[in-house]
């Protein structure tokens, strides 16, 4: 409990100035990720992301994703077919607009471990059905988790999390964006963990930071 309380206090101290600021160029993303076994080989992916322009209340984007994955081997190399619904509310010339996107995606995840270093590679192809357009995009994600208070990612372990993800269009312009992330995480138990950190998103003509709070749930839906 002492470790959990220290983690919660540290996160509160870091995020309070952003969450209660009336005006800020810093966004905030609140995220839930579920990856739940439904059989020995199959898993259900479910995800909700609530993204704000400021700390809270000014919706930028609501993203809902789901999919069915299949483990190729015991090392958890996983392929997945999924669907995403994205509601965006951007500002255009000072006025809020509303855009809806339907997205189909295919991905492959592979994991590696070197000592304390846990590495995840994710390759994702997206077919994006926009309101007035269709685009395809490739994403490569490299994620790292390093336990701090234990040698392994065991319950009640504090850990450092980081990732870099690049987005590339399959037509011109090729470069879409790049995301760089760093966070402090806490393993609640063998099936749940929480992270709080900062992500910088780099686009061709824009660079913007996001506070992120993420909850991860891997509770199996089968015995």
């Amino acid at each position: 409990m002492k470790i959990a309380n220290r983690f919660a206090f540290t996160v509160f101290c870091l995020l309070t100035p952003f969450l209660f600021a009336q005006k800020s160029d810093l966004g905030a993303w609140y995220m839930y990720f579920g990856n739940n076994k439904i059989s020995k080989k199959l898993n259900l992916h479910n995800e909700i992301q609530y993204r704000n322009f400021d700390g809270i209340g000014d919706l930028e984007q609501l993203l809902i994703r789901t999919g069915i994955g299949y483990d190729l081997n015991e090392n958890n190399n996983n392929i997945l077919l999924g669907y995403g619904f994205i509601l965006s509310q951007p500002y255009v010339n000072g006025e809020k607009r509303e855009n809806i996107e339907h997205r189909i995606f295919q991905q492959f995840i592979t994991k590696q471990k070197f000592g304390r270093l846990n590495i995840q590679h994710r390759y994702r192809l997206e077919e994006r059905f926009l309101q007035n357009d269709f685009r395809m995009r490739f994403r490569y994600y490299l994620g790292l988790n390093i336990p701090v208070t234990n040698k392994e990612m065991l319950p009640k372990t504090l850990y450092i999390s980081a990732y870099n993800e690049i987005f590339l269009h399959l037509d011109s312009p090729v470069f879409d964006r790049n995301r760089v992330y760093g966070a402090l995480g806490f393993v609640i138990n063998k099936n749940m963990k929480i992270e709080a950190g900062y992500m910088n998103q780099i686009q061709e003509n824009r660079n913007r930071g996001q506070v992120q709070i993420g909850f991860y749930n891997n509770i199996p839906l089968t015995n």
Side-chain angles (χ1 to χ4, degrees):
M1 288 299 295
K2 289 183 179 180
I3 295 175
N5 290 337
R6 289 176 184 172
F7 173 78
F9 179 74
T10 301
V11 170
F12 178 79
C13 290
L14 289 173
L15 300 186
T16 295
F18 303 121
L19 298 182
F20 293 96
Q22 291 184 349
K23 292 184 179 180
S24 174
D25 290 331
L26 187 71
W29 292 8
Y30 307 98
M31 306 174 296
Y32 167 84
F33 299 95
N35 184 30
N36 310 105
K37 284 281 190 182
I38 55 177
S39 72
K40 184 177 180 180
K41 289 284 190 178
L42 294 175
N43 66 285
L44 173 66
H45 176 78
N46 47 99
E47 173 185 343
I48 300 174
Q49 297 191 32
Y50 184 78
R51 301 172 175 178
N52 279 267
F53 283 107
D54 52 17
I56 189 169
D58 189 4
L59 178 66
E60 178 181 10
Q61 191 173 76
L62 175 65
L63 186 150
I64 301 171
R65 265 193 287 251
T66 189
I68 296 293
Y70 179 81
D71 288 341
L72 297 175
N73 55 43
E74 61 184 4
N75 294 324
N76 199 32
N77 294 324
N78 182 272
I79 55 173
L80 184 140
L81 174 64
Y83 164 78
F85 171 84
I86 299 92
L87 169 66
S88 301
Q89 294 185 348
Y91 283 97
V92 179
N93 298 324
E95 295 185 3
K96 254 200 167 184
R97 303 289 177 87
E98 183 171 292
N99 299 317
I100 292 176
E101 175 185 345
H102 299 278
R103 188 180 299 173
I104 298 172
F105 65 97
Q106 305 82 38
Q107 71 180 33
F108 171 66
I109 290 177
T110 183
K111 298 179 181 180
Q112 300 169 309
K113 191 174 186 304
F114 301 97
R116 291 193 178 203
L117 182 62
N118 299 274
I119 301 175
Q120 177 175 296
H121 305 268
R122 185 181 70 202
Y123 308 86
R124 178 180 288 175
L125 181 65
E126 297 177 326
E127 294 81 45
R128 306 176 62 202
F129 297 86
L130 307 164
Q131 286 182 280
N132 298 308
D133 196 8
F134 171 78
R135 303 205 74 177
M136 294 184 68
R137 185 168 67 181
F138 173 75
R139 300 166 56 166
Y140 170 65
Y141 167 102
L142 173 62
L144 310 173
N145 283 334
I146 306 172
V148 176
T149 55
N150 283 303
K151 293 182 178 180
E152 303 288 341
M153 295 284 286
L154 301 172
K156 300 181 181 180
T157 297
L158 282 173
Y159 67 93
I160 295 170
S161 180
Y163 74 71
N164 188 87
E165 184 173 19
I166 188 167
F167 297 63
L168 302 173
H169 291 131
L170 298 191
D171 54 6
S172 181
V174 174
F175 177 76
D176 181 21
R177 67 194 65 199
N178 191 79
R179 293 175 180 170
V180 181
Y181 169 83
L184 184 64
F186 180 70
V187 182
I188 300 170
N189 56 44
K190 67 178 183 177
N191 292 314
M192 291 186 288
K193 62 183 183 179
I194 188 169
E195 290 182 9
Y198 174 83
M199 184 269 288
N200 188 41
Q201 181 164 248
I202 302 166
Q203 295 173 270
E204 185 176 359
N205 298 312
R206 192 179 183 193
N207 188 345
R208 190 160 186 262
Q210 314 282 351
V211 172
Q212 294 192 344
I213 298 176
F215 178 76
Y216 298 79
N217 164 30
N218 296 325
I219 297 174
L221 301 178
T222 179
N223 294 325

